[in-house]
Amino acid sequence: MPVATLLPFTSTPSRKSANPTSFRLTEKFILLLVFSAFITLCFGAIFFLPDSSKLLSGVFFHSAAVETNTRTGPDSSDSGSAANDEKRVLAKIRKDHEEALLEAKDTLKKQPDEIKLDILNDKGKVLKDGGKDVNHLPFLEYHRPPGATGHEPQDPETRERRAKVKEMMKHAWDSYRHYAWGFNELRPISKQGHSSNLFGRIQGATIVDALDTLYIMEMFDEFDSATAWVEKNLDFNVHAEVSVFEVNIRFVGGLLSAYYLSGKEVFRKKAVELGEKLLPAFKTPTGIPWALLNLKSGVGRNWPWASGGSSILAEYGTLHLEFMHLSKLSGNPEFEQKVMNIRKVLNRLDKPQGLYPNYLNPNSGQWGQHHVSVGGLGDSFYEYLLKAWLISDKTDDEAKKMYYDALQAIETNLIRKSSNGLTYIAEWKGGLLEHKMGHLTCFAGGMIALGADGAPSDKTGHQMEQAAEIARTCHESYARTALKLGPEAFRFDGGVEAIATRQNEKYFILRPEVIETYMYMWRFTHDPKYREWGWEAVQALEQHCRVEAGYSGLRDVYASTPNHDDVQQSFYLAETLKYLYLLFSDDDHLPFDHWVFNTEAHPLPVIRKDKTDLPNEVE
Ligand code: DMJ
């Protein structure tokens, strides 16, 4: 049954109209509380003040029964009926009192959670969940870092292209909302929800992943309905295994960004709540976390296919940014300690040729197979070394050294040029090179450009050049297909360059990495070709991936007509469309000196020494 028939749309007030409504409802709640307190006082007075019945009969309750009572003296033969009258009045007071309390409770229950938050925030507290305090979070004064929203570009063509990307986001979001609301992802061909088991039974991946994109595109009605869903439905009490990495980058990252952009406490609370649920993953002899964790039982394990029970570099190495922020927002140093310990374990190990193998055994603390990749299984580990340094306001020198050392080893051992001059990053299998590059590896153009800025002086120009070459290669991998969208992996052997030769590498699942690199290259060079390449991708997405109910991945980018895979990945809304939008926006929209993107494109503010960009803890 389509989800739409199960879950009716809720009407969502616009951003502008939400506040006055909340204020009236809050006032109403406070009035009810005052009224109930007042009745309680009267009720107490009846029982505890001396001769309170006189007070009661004479002043406050002028009912017929009381009148009768006041006209008869203590010796009256009618004293029995007077006592009855008094009982009736007391019963009425009790009933009124109970009704007032019930109404107050009911009012509180019926209000959007935002109102509860407003009330509790006033006291500097965080909402209690189901009567149980889930987080004792410190009170933080919120300051929005600059550039959370942008303005229209001056150039009419860029303005139009940016508006087009926003329209694409609207189509992706509306379709998800209509057919798959509350599910993790949308199946745009069969028009139903899709639940990936990467998230166990946690639901709503698309909602959480899309929150910040909705915000930066100023789609505030949609942002409000997503917020309401998070408040009411996002539940981490699931008795199922989740991927620690995926849940961290999409859910924790998405919630953190939503908090920093909007200042809404619910996102901080949910992010910390989820972060705490992930902590048992670190219960291993070395502190290198498990890949999979049952959120309810806290039992972890690794992927059965991963080299002798190893943890994966790109998974345990992609927690740093989110966990540093979790410590900041919760006041709990444990998050930071856990990720700093990962670094300690890595720094004690010998690295073959200075490279980091993809597999590490969390029990022995030793490398598994010596496979190295800047694509799948390795990719975001390198990204997070660089970004750990950037997010620390360039104070984390250890991360900086680890990044530039690793990049040097990658350059020496993995980066190669094809006979026709295309630069690519190969995979390393115990010393042997496999001349293939994944779509995932294409993020490295953006990373190298971002890092070129802080590179030792003789490397700056060289690294920017290398980034541009990688961007060109990845563009070629798109240009050499029939549908003008890139394959999952492409090869530089057997007489081909930047082309997939195996059937199982020809698919395209709406991934962002190539567009991500265009966006970084545009910001650093302002070379118009990056916007043109981004626009080519927009046209191909519109032509081949857009369907009536959203966007779908493709099974073979070399086929002359699209064969849809029927999945609208949540990262399409989190990353692909966000990077496209930023590609056609001015540089002061989410400026790099204030924001660092996590690997799922969720922007997190730089943690300033002077704390100016972050919410400050109030002593
Ligand atoms: C995203 O979930 C993240 O970018 C991750 O780092 C790897 N790839 C997917 C999208 O391709």
Side-chain angles (χ1 to χ4, degrees):
M1 192 185 318
V3 196
T5 58
L6 295 172
L7 302 161
F9 286 22
T10 49
S11 73
T12 46
S14 75
R15 166 160 304 277
K16 283 185 190 103
S17 63
N19 284 343
T21 317
S22 330
F23 184 65
R24 276 202 306 279
L25 291 169
T26 310
E27 266 186 336
K28 191 182 166 198
F29 172 68
I30 290 165
L31 277 175
L32 280 165
L33 276 182
V34 170
F35 179 56
S36 118
F38 177 66
I39 292 179
T40 307
L41 205 79
C42 300
F43 198 59
I46 292 159
F47 291 104
F48 301 115
L49 289 181
D51 210 9
S52 57
S53 60
K54 274 184 199 152
L55 184 77
L56 170 82
S57 57
V59 184
F60 291 101
F61 296 91
H62 233 260
S63 70
V66 176
E67 297 258 9
T68 317
N69 194 20
T70 50
R71 273 199 302 270
T72 54
D75 296 332
S76 157
S77 56
D78 209 12
S79 64
S81 92
N84 282 343
D85 286 340
E86 193 165 301
K87 265 192 203 155
R88 267 203 303 279
V89 172
L90 287 175
K92 183 173 185 325
I93 293 167
R94 192 180 293 124
K95 193 166 155 265
D96 286 348
H97 169 73
E98 278 165 6
E99 271 173 15
L101 276 178
L102 273 177
E103 202 184 329
K105 264 193 197 163
D106 201 32
T107 308
L108 182 59
K109 214 163 61 192
K110 276 187 215 148
Q111 303 318 312
D113 286 354
E114 195 178 343
I115 294 167
K116 298 185 217 168
L117 284 165
D118 284 346
I119 294 163
L120 292 166
N121 285 345
D122 284 343
K123 298 182 207 153
K125 283 180 116 192
V126 176
L127 178 65
K128 289 180 179 196
D129 188 7
K132 168 172 148 261
D133 228 344
V134 286
N135 291 307
H136 304 275
L137 298 181
F139 176 58
L140 297 179
E141 224 178 81
Y142 171 77
H143 302 283
R144 181 176 290 107
T149 52
H151 45 82
E152 299 242 296
Q154 284 209 324
D155 161 47
E157 186 183 62
T158 311
R159 206 164 46 232
E160 223 173 85
R161 291 178 172 187
R162 184 174 182 260
K164 174 65 198 168
V165 176
K166 183 169 172 175
E167 187 278 325
M168 293 165 76
M169 178 69 184
K170 183 139 180 57
H171 180 59
W173 174 260
D174 286 349
S175 304
Y176 167 77
R177 173 117 209 235
H178 193 74
Y179 295 109
W181 188 237
F183 280 86
N184 281 325
E185 287 167 328
L186 163 71
R187 286 198 177 280
I189 304 294
S190 47
K191 299 183 180 170
Q192 59 184 347
H194 165 59
S195 283
S196 152
N197 47 12
L198 291 174
F199 314 118
R201 288 196 202 109
I202 302 180
Q203 289 297 314
T206 294
I207 297 176
V208 179
D209 240 2
L211 276 164
D212 52 10
T213 309
L214 294 171
Y215 194 96
I216 68 158
M217 292 186 182
E218 298 177 58
M219 295 169 66
F220 293 126
D221 286 348
E222 290 84 350
F223 180 81
D224 286 346
S225 59
T227 304
W229 187 91
V230 168
E231 281 169 341
K232 292 192 194 91
N233 303 297
L234 185 58
D235 181 17
F236 307 127
N237 293 311
V238 293
H239 194 28
E241 268 183 343
V242 301
S243 153
V244 174
F245 160 76
E246 293 289 355
V247 164
N248 177 60
I249 65 168
R250 300 192 204 208
F251 283 89
V252 177
L255 291 165
L256 287 173
S257 285
Y259 170 68
Y260 285 115
L261 289 167
S262 71
K264 286 184 186 285
E265 275 292 316
V266 61
F267 298 126
R268 175 166 77 122
K269 175 192 157 266
K270 291 277 182 192
V272 174
E273 184 192 339
L274 179 55
E276 281 171 359
K277 288 202 160 285
L278 295 179
L279 287 175
F282 293 81
K283 281 192 201 147
T284 63
T286 54
I288 295 292
W290 300 114
L292 299 164
L293 179 73
N294 182 309
L295 287 189
K296 195 145 214 157
S297 67
V299 174
R301 67 178 176 115
N302 274 337
W303 298 106
W305 49 261
S307 174
S310 288
S311 301
I312 306 243
L313 184 68
E315 298 195 331
Y316 67 77
T318 310
L319 302 166
H320 194 97
L321 304 184
E322 296 81 2
F323 275 49
M324 295 303 277
H325 270 285
L326 286 175
S327 274
K328 264 297 31 112
L329 293 186
S330 65
N332 176 2
E334 216 182 327
F335 299 106
E336 178 173 346
Q337 286 158 4
K338 297 286 187 230
V339 288
M340 290 312 272
N341 174 63
I342 295 177
R343 193 186 280 182
K344 233 189 253 162
V345 174
L346 289 176
N347 280 334
R348 277 201 295 258
L349 283 166
D350 281 338
K351 280 137 217 106
Q353 317 281 355
L355 296 166
Y356 289 82
N358 293 337
Y359 302 106
L360 176 62
N361 190 306
N363 294 315
S364 65
Q366 296 303 314
W367 299 120
Q369 272 171 324
H370 283 196
H371 287 186
V372 177
S373 173
V374 183
L377 307 184
D379 49 5
S380 41
F381 162 72
Y382 303 99
E383 177 186 355
Y384 270 38
L385 289 180
L386 171 64
K387 290 181 176 176
W389 174 57
L390 296 176
I391 214 161
S392 73
D393 205 8
K394 302 192 175 173
T395 59
D396 184 350
D397 290 330
E398 186 179 45
K400 178 183 180 184
K401 181 172 171 8
M402 288 171 79
Y403 170 72
Y404 288 109
D405 286 354
L407 191 61
Q408 179 62 61
I410 288 167
E411 193 182 332
T412 311
N413 296 288
L414 308 183
I415 299 189
R416 294 289 178 267
K417 221 180 222 212
S418 73
S419 38
N420 289 314
L422 289 181
T423 299
Y424 62 97
I425 309 181
E427 310 254 310
W428 196 79
K429 303 264 160 82
L432 292 177
L433 279 189
E434 190 181 4
H435 297 271
K436 112 173 172 184
M437 181 163 172
H439 193 290
L440 288 167
T441 322
C442 286
F443 90 97
M447 175 184 75
I448 295 172
L450 183 64
D453 203 22
S457 50
D458 58 321
K459 290 270 174 189
T460 310
H462 168 68
Q463 286 186 7
M464 196 50 91
E465 230 170 78
Q466 206 163 49
E469 285 177 20
I470 291 168
R472 182 160 79 96
T473 301
C474 292
H475 176 254
E476 282 303 312
S477 79
Y478 275 45
R480 295 176 186 201
T481 69
L483 301 181
K484 303 298 168 211
L485 292 161
E488 180 65 6
F490 42 94
R491 300 197 172 245
F492 297 85
D493 55 16
V496 302
E497 294 195 359
I499 289 180
T501 50
R502 306 188 181 180
Q503 196 51 40
N504 64 1
E505 292 172 348
K506 293 183 177 171
Y507 61 89
F508 169 72
I509 55 167
L510 305 171
R511 284 196 194 278
E513 292 78 15
V514 176
I515 290 162
E516 174 181 353
T517 281
Y518 297 162
M519 192 279 291
Y520 280 100
M521 291 310 296
W522 164 257
R523 282 264 179 116
F524 288 112
T525 66
H526 285 173
D527 182 336
K529 78 172 173 241
Y530 296 113
R531 279 187 165 166
E532 283 313 311
W533 290 353
W535 187 242
E536 284 170 13
V538 165
Q539 288 171 306
L541 286 165
E542 286 299 273
Q543 219 184 321
H544 308 303
C545 299
R546 186 173 180 138
V547 292
E548 191 199 328
Y551 290 84
S552 167
L554 305 169
R555 293 187 201 283
D556 183 351
V557 288
Y558 299 95
S560 50
T561 50
N563 183 359
H564 295 119
D565 71 3
D566 200 14
V567 182
Q568 178 176 284
Q569 305 278 347
S570 77
F571 52 65
Y572 181 62
L573 293 88
E575 300 191 73
T576 313
L577 293 175
K578 187 188 284 134
Y579 286 134
L580 277 172
Y581 189 73
L582 292 174
L583 177 64
F584 299 115
S585 295
D586 289 348
D587 297 354
D588 57 2
H589 193 8
L590 298 175
F592 290 165
D593 48 349
H594 288 279
W595 297 92
V596 175
F597 292 88
N598 91 338
T599 194
E600 188 79 359
H602 296 307
L604 300 172
V606 169
I607 300 174
R608 301 272 179 225
K609 271 259 170 321
D610 62 8
K611 297 185 173 174
T612 45
D613 268 8
L614 282 174
N616 289 333
E617 189 167 337
V618 172
E619 314 291 333

